Amino acid sequence: MQYSQKVLDHFMHPHNVGKMENPDASATEGSPSCGDQVTVFLKIDKETKIIEDISFLSYGCASNIATASIITDLAKGKSLEDAKKITYEDAMEALDGLPPVKVHCSVLAADTLQTAISNYEIAHGLKEVPNFGKETILAELKKIIYPQVGTDIVTLKMVKYVGFSDGEVLIDMNMMNFDTWRENVVEEINEHLEKYPEVKKIQINFP
Ligand code: FES
């Protein structure tokens, strides 16, 4: 597996590592595909809503550490509104790319940053707790990376239909039965959606 020099630099000498005392917000997220975890801590200026300080703890692989390091660099000094626009693609670009099977590591880092920001906004009455629905399901599916090419399954048009009613999630997938990643993707869909108390049953159909 080929890592860029930047990934290696951030892995060997990560920026903004460590637990923050009395953060204004934090979030811990895990990647269903590998079990690795990241925690992000934020210190936010009450008036300007600028991220004054940010740090992370990683419980994962080399690119987990590198992507968390770069994502905290990208967010530091930004307003919450600007930091909300930071994506996993930004992290990958700043690291000069990642191997396809490691793209999910950058998704995890970006996701944890966004959850920490969202936790801050909810705690400070800047936004309401979102209702669970089709939008939530689609947002979760967009976090699932098809490892062979390193792109999410929604962008790859592998998701044909998403429905939600009476606690039942219905997903029609566009993946052939000879696709060797199919089981892996199904497992990830389940793990991403099972954490929501609103979800009682998950039905995934294939052609
Ligand atoms: Fe899963 Fe890197 S975060 S292998």
Side-chain angles (χ1 to χ4, degrees), residues 31 33-38 60-64 101-102 104-106 108:
S31 169
S33 62
C34 63
D36 289 352
Q37 284 191 325
V38 177
C61 71
S63 46
N64 177 309
V101 291
K102 290 289 177 180
H104 77 269
C105 314
S106 62
L108 177 62

Side-chain angles (χ1 to χ4, degrees), residues 20-68:
M20 187 185 287
E21 294 306 324
N22 303 316
D24 293 319
S26 68
T28 300
E29 294 270 335
S31 169
S33 62
C34 63
D36 289 352
Q37 284 191 325
V38 177
T39 300
V40 167
F41 304 94
L42 298 175
K43 213 19 129 209
I44 292 162
D45 185 289
K46 278 194 186 58
E47 302 301 319
T48 61
K49 299 286 181 275
I50 301 259
I51 298 176
E52 286 182 317
D53 198 11
I54 181 166
S55 67
F56 77 94
L57 289 175
S58 161
Y59 319 89
C61 71
S63 46
N64 177 309
I65 293 167
T67 52

